Amino acid sequence: MAQIGYSKKVLEHFMNPRNVGTIENPDGYGKVGNPVCGDLMEMFISVKDDIITDIKFRTFGCGSAIATSSMVTELTKGMHIDEAMEITRDAVADELEGLPPRKMHCSNLAASALHEAIKDYKRKEED
Amino acid sequence: MPTPSLTFRGEPMRMIYLDHAAAMPINPGVLEFAKRYLQSDFGNPSSLYSAGLEAKRIIEDARKKIAELINAENETCIVFTSGATESNNLAIKGTALRNIGKGKKVVASAIEHISVLNPMKELQKSGFELTIIPVDSTGIVDIEELDDSLTKDTTVTSIMYANNEIGTIEPIKEISEIVHEKGLYLHVDATAAAGRLPVDVQNDGIDLLTLSSNDMYGPQGAGALYIKPGVRLQSILPGGGQERGLRSGTENVFAIAGMGEAARIAKDEMAQESKRLRGIRDGLISEILKVEESYLTGHPTQRLPHHASFRFSRIEGESILLNMDMKYNVQVSTGSACTSRMLEPSHVLIAIGLKHEEAHGSMVLTLGRSNEVEEIPIITKAIKETVQRLRELTPL
Ligand code: FES
């Protein structure tokens, strides 16, 4: 099983990803492509009083890309946006009980997609 | 996460293994035949006492069986190595270096195995001129390009018999005619083809042929290189002078004995087994192509009998592989960048003209002895549901 060397937590998130889908008229939207292997991830957030009240994602990528996006949504749902901006790829990987070294960039992707969504929200707020 | 307990006809569902291109289970008959040669008190084939003579005898017996599988002129044409990688290295470097007086050009197709391409690139670094021949979208070598590229200075041309990622069978006989008209020697990597197609070195016009033990259900740790009488090459592994001085090192008697027996069984059973696997394979292809936006990769008819390969738009291969494994206990393979060490897509898929994101969704099924026709609906259901689930996740 699982020749790739993923932790149980990664496999569990891959098999049962949380918060899959889209949000219509999201308060923030982020989309990032993976420069390393060419994958794609998008995040949608609803924000109230600077708290992330809802978050959804869609990912085209490997098992680790799907698991890390799922984990990011789980970690940051209900979180203040300033705190969510601080989420790093290492934090996501730690929550998943680690990632194989060559899969760390997928974790980066998930964190960046979230940060892009928050920046988008802030931009809209300023307008 | 616990292993999902799936059932099939009331029985716990067993693993369906569809990655025979990566590793093959040793044939129990082969193991039974060869296991006595594992004993460490067994003689060194170079020793003169009786145990050594017995080891030598079994190696010669294996040589004969392998020569028969590929219709070699005689058994002295067969040199044992540690596997296909070493055979490819010996064929390419050994021949190019030995014939350096005749020219310093080497040629290979774009879809050769990395153990052909890397020695070629090494030669290039040391001053050889390397030409890579493109293939068409089905994986067939561009014959005109080949014709144009060959000159009398081309000492080694390496084209595989069939490709293990897309299943395409190359027109070796036609290629052989061109190579012999213009260049010097044709090396053919038959790792994926031997034991599945009736490889005939004399009829096909092959000068050097790579064989792998494990790819014929033999033990890992043995391979062979066929060298046509009169072809001159030099050792790349000097030492005690075993294998006519071409491959020094004490022979791996167990693996060689097993490889010989595997070759004998392959010769006996090939016609029937290939027909059986072709039937399962065709059933799988027609069912799987019913999935929306699915495409066959490789050649539709000039294809290894046990080989089916596809790509699915908008999803990625490692997640296909993982889902098939975790949820359905079905083992498949992929050429996706996400599974490669360098995070680059398979060079074979790029060579047939796929874009990076298309290569991402590749899935390869290679059948073997354990597969049965009853598995077709289980495999197709697993694939359909996997594709559907991953497409629900995709932003594309
Ligand atoms: S998305 Fe390609 S390696 Fe993770």
Side-chain angles (χ1 to χ4, degrees), chain A residues 13-14 17-20 40-43 55-76 92 96 99 106-111 113-114, chain B residues 393:
Chain A
H13 270 265
F14 169 73
R18 334 291 199 247
N19 306 307
V20 174
L40 204 64
M41 199 178 279
E42 58 181 5
M43 293 247 170
I55 177 162
K56 293 265 196 272
F57 81 92
R58 291 195 303 191
T59 293
F60 164 61
C62 73
S64 148
I66 290 169
T68 52
S69 5
S70 167
M71 181 50 93
V72 163
T73 64
E74 190 174 77
L75 277 178
T76 56
V92 180
L96 286 166
L99 281 171
C106 316
S107 179
N108 208 5
L109 193 62
L114 171 72
Chain B
L393 284 171

Side-chain angles (χ1 to χ4, degrees), chain B residues 71-93:
Chain B
N71 191 32
E73 288 81 353
N74 57 64
E75 57 266 33
T76 63
C77 302
I78 307 296
V79 166
F80 287 113
T81 65
S82 63
T85 292
E86 192 190 326
S87 295
N88 285 338
N89 272 271
L90 173 59
I92 291 161
K93 286 198 255 174

Side-chain angles (χ1 to χ4, degrees), chain B residues 8-276:
Chain B
F8 171 59
R9 292 182 186 148
E11 303 274 311
M13 195 153 109
R14 63 187 181 93
M15 178 176 92
I16 298 182
Y17 184 68
L18 298 171
D19 193 14
H20 288 81
M24 288 170 70
I26 184 168
N27 180 327
V30 168
L31 185 59
E32 193 50 43
F33 175 88
K35 72 180 182 206
R36 62 201 159 115
Y37 303 103
L38 269 176
Q39 284 161 2
S40 56
D41 59 349
F42 211 84
N44 183 318
S46 296
S47 308
L48 290 176
Y49 41 82
S50 59
L53 292 178
E54 167 61 7
K56 176 131 182 58
R57 189 195 63 74
I58 192 65
I59 290 174
E60 296 316 312
D61 173 66
R63 216 184 290 283
K64 194 155 179 286
K65 288 168 173 170
I66 289 163
E68 281 167 8
L69 176 70
I70 58 171
N71 191 32
E73 288 81 353
N74 57 64
E75 57 266 33
T76 63
C77 302
I78 307 296
V79 166
F80 287 113
T81 65
S82 63
T85 292
E86 192 190 326
S87 295
N88 285 338
N89 272 271
L90 173 59
I92 291 161
K93 286 198 255 174
T95 313
L97 295 174
R98 176 67 177 78
N99 294 283
I100 206 161
K102 295 188 179 127
K104 286 183 82 176
K105 287 187 179 173
V106 288
V107 167
S109 88
I111 60 168
E112 294 305 308
H113 190 259
I114 203 75
S115 62
V116 164
L117 293 175
N118 280 351
M120 288 270 184
K121 285 178 190 160
E122 239 180 70
L123 288 172
Q124 187 181 29
K125 273 187 212 138
S126 63
F128 280 77
E129 189 182 311
L130 168 63
T131 309
I132 300 288
I133 309 295
V135 297
D136 69 13
S137 62
T138 66
I140 299 278
V141 167
D142 187 328
I143 298 287
E144 265 176 45
E145 277 274 342
L146 179 68
D147 201 8
D148 291 347
S149 305
L150 289 167
T151 68
K152 63 172 189 356
D153 305 331
T154 312
T155 50
V156 188
T157 301
S158 190
I159 310 284
M160 65 201 336
Y161 211 101
N163 183 280
N164 69 342
E165 285 180 58
I166 53 172
T168 302
I169 302 169
E170 299 299 338
I172 289 297
K173 211 170 166 175
E174 191 182 343
I175 288 167
S176 161
E177 279 161 21
I178 296 170
V179 169
H180 292 121
E181 192 182 308
K182 300 202 147 173
L184 191 59
Y185 296 136
L186 172 64
H187 166 246
V188 174
D189 178 0
T191 302
R196 296 178 176 119
L197 300 173
V199 174
D200 181 331
V201 287
Q202 298 189 62
N203 185 49
D204 293 334
I206 293 167
D207 301 305
L208 299 142
L209 185 97
T210 290
L211 295 167
S212 151
S213 167
N214 185 238
D215 288 80
M216 302 189 289
Y217 299 103
Q220 291 178 338
L225 182 66
Y226 157 81
I227 304 164
K228 187 189 169 94
V231 172
R232 298 165 73 151
L233 66 169
Q234 72 183 52
S235 171
I236 57 168
L237 202 54
Q242 287 89 343
E243 297 296 297
R244 293 198 275 141
L246 284 171
R247 202 281 176 180
S248 291
T250 298
E251 296 86 343
N252 182 345
V253 183
F254 161 73
I256 290 172
M259 181 178 183
E261 184 62 4
R264 184 193 67 74
I265 296 172
K267 186 170 163 43
D268 283 356
E269 297 181 353
M270 181 173 7
Q272 211 185 341
E273 178 67 356
S274 289
K275 189 169 165 229
R276 189 184 77 85

Side-chain angles (χ1 to χ4, degrees), chain A residues 34 37 39 61-62 65 103 105-106, chain B residues 338 343:
Chain A
N34 192 333
C37 62
D39 301 291
C62 73
K103 291 288 182 179
H105 71 278
C106 316
Chain B
C338 300
L343 294 169

Side-chain angles (χ1 to χ4, degrees), chain B residues 316-335:
Chain B
E316 187 279 325
E318 187 209 275
S319 45
I320 298 176
L321 179 154
L322 212 51
N323 199 65
M324 296 281 288
D325 180 15
M326 302 275 299
K327 187 130 194 244
Y328 305 96
N329 217 4
V330 177
Q331 318 276 324
V332 303
S333 169
T334 176

